[in-house]
Short mmCIF file of all heavy atoms in Angstrom, two decimals:
data_model
loop_
_atom_site.label_atom_id
_atom_site.label_comp_id
_atom_site.label_asym_id
_atom_site.label_seq_id
_atom_site.Cartn_x
_atom_site.Cartn_y
_atom_site.Cartn_z
N TRP V 43 -21.79 11.55 -0.37
CA TRP V 43 -21.31 11.91 -1.65
C TRP V 43 -22.33 11.71 -2.76
O TRP V 43 -23.24 11.03 -2.69
CB TRP V 43 -20.06 11.01 -2.12
CG TRP V 43 -20.32 9.61 -1.44
CD1 TRP V 43 -21.07 8.61 -2.11
CD2 TRP V 43 -19.56 8.97 -0.48
NE1 TRP V 43 -21.02 7.38 -1.39
CE2 TRP V 43 -20.13 7.67 -0.38
CE3 TRP V 43 -18.71 9.47 0.52
CZ2 TRP V 43 -19.72 6.72 0.65
CZ3 TRP V 43 -18.21 8.57 1.48
CH2 TRP V 43 -18.67 7.20 1.53
N HIS V 44 -22.07 12.57 -3.85
CA HIS V 44 -22.85 12.49 -5.08
C HIS V 44 -21.91 12.61 -6.15
O HIS V 44 -21.11 13.63 -6.01
CB HIS V 44 -23.95 13.37 -5.12
CG HIS V 44 -25.04 13.01 -6.11
ND1 HIS V 44 -26.04 12.19 -5.93
CD2 HIS V 44 -25.04 13.24 -7.53
CE1 HIS V 44 -26.74 12.00 -7.07
NE2 HIS V 44 -26.16 12.59 -8.00
N PHE V 45 -22.00 11.97 -7.15
CA PHE V 45 -21.12 12.05 -8.38
C PHE V 45 -21.81 12.50 -9.64
O PHE V 45 -22.87 11.90 -9.95
CB PHE V 45 -20.37 10.66 -8.66
CG PHE V 45 -19.74 10.06 -7.38
CD1 PHE V 45 -20.53 9.04 -6.54
CD2 PHE V 45 -18.54 10.45 -6.91
CE1 PHE V 45 -19.88 8.52 -5.44
CE2 PHE V 45 -17.99 10.01 -5.64
CZ PHE V 45 -18.62 9.06 -4.98
N TYR V 46 -21.27 13.41 -10.31
CA TYR V 46 -21.82 13.85 -11.58
C TYR V 46 -20.81 13.64 -12.72
O TYR V 46 -19.77 14.27 -12.79
CB TYR V 46 -22.03 15.31 -11.50
CG TYR V 46 -23.19 15.75 -10.43
CD1 TYR V 46 -22.77 15.85 -9.11
CD2 TYR V 46 -24.58 15.72 -10.87
CE1 TYR V 46 -23.79 16.20 -8.19
CE2 TYR V 46 -25.44 16.00 -9.91
CZ TYR V 46 -25.13 16.27 -8.62
OH TYR V 46 -26.13 16.61 -7.70
N VAL V 47 -21.10 12.63 -13.52
CA VAL V 47 -20.12 12.11 -14.38
C VAL V 47 -20.45 12.85 -15.86
O VAL V 47 -21.62 12.94 -16.32
CB VAL V 47 -20.35 10.60 -14.70
CG1 VAL V 47 -19.43 10.10 -15.82
CG2 VAL V 47 -20.10 9.84 -13.39
N MET V 48 -19.43 13.39 -16.37
CA MET V 48 -19.51 14.23 -17.61
C MET V 48 -18.49 13.67 -18.60
O MET V 48 -17.32 13.57 -18.52
CB MET V 48 -19.13 15.71 -17.46
CG MET V 48 -20.16 16.32 -16.50
SD MET V 48 -19.78 18.02 -15.92
CE MET V 48 -18.80 17.68 -14.47
N GLN V 49 -19.16 13.33 -19.84
CA GLN V 49 -18.38 12.88 -20.90
C GLN V 49 -19.21 13.33 -22.16
O GLN V 49 -20.44 13.76 -22.03
CB GLN V 49 -18.34 11.42 -21.15
CG GLN V 49 -17.50 10.69 -20.07
CD GLN V 49 -17.64 9.09 -20.26
OE1 GLN V 49 -18.62 8.48 -19.99
NE2 GLN V 49 -16.46 8.58 -20.70
N GLY V 50 -18.71 13.34 -23.32
CA GLY V 50 -19.44 13.69 -24.48
C GLY V 50 -20.06 15.11 -24.39
O GLY V 50 -19.36 16.04 -24.11
N ALA V 51 -21.31 15.12 -24.73
CA ALA V 51 -22.23 16.41 -24.76
C ALA V 51 -22.06 17.13 -23.34
O ALA V 51 -21.88 18.39 -23.32
CB ALA V 51 -23.62 16.13 -25.10
N SER V 52 -22.30 16.38 -22.23
CA SER V 52 -22.22 17.11 -21.02
C SER V 52 -20.81 17.72 -20.66
O SER V 52 -20.86 18.68 -20.06
CB SER V 52 -22.70 16.08 -19.84
OG SER V 52 -21.74 14.99 -19.74
N LEU V 53 -19.72 17.04 -21.18
CA LEU V 53 -18.46 17.54 -21.00
C LEU V 53 -18.28 18.76 -21.80
O LEU V 53 -17.66 19.74 -21.26
CB LEU V 53 -17.46 16.42 -21.27
CG LEU V 53 -15.97 16.83 -21.00
CD1 LEU V 53 -15.64 17.41 -19.65
CD2 LEU V 53 -15.02 15.63 -21.41
N LYS V 54 -18.83 18.85 -23.04
CA LYS V 54 -18.88 20.02 -23.85
C LYS V 54 -19.53 21.25 -23.09
O LYS V 54 -19.07 22.36 -23.18
CB LYS V 54 -19.39 19.74 -25.24
CG LYS V 54 -18.51 18.94 -26.08
CD LYS V 54 -17.30 19.60 -26.49
CE LYS V 54 -16.49 18.73 -27.37
NZ LYS V 54 -14.99 19.00 -27.50
#
Side-chain angles (χ1 to χ4, degrees):
W43 38 73
H44 195 95
F45 309 99
Y46 295 86
V47 179
M48 292 174 272
Q49 292 180 292
S52 62
L53 184 52
K54 290 291 180 202

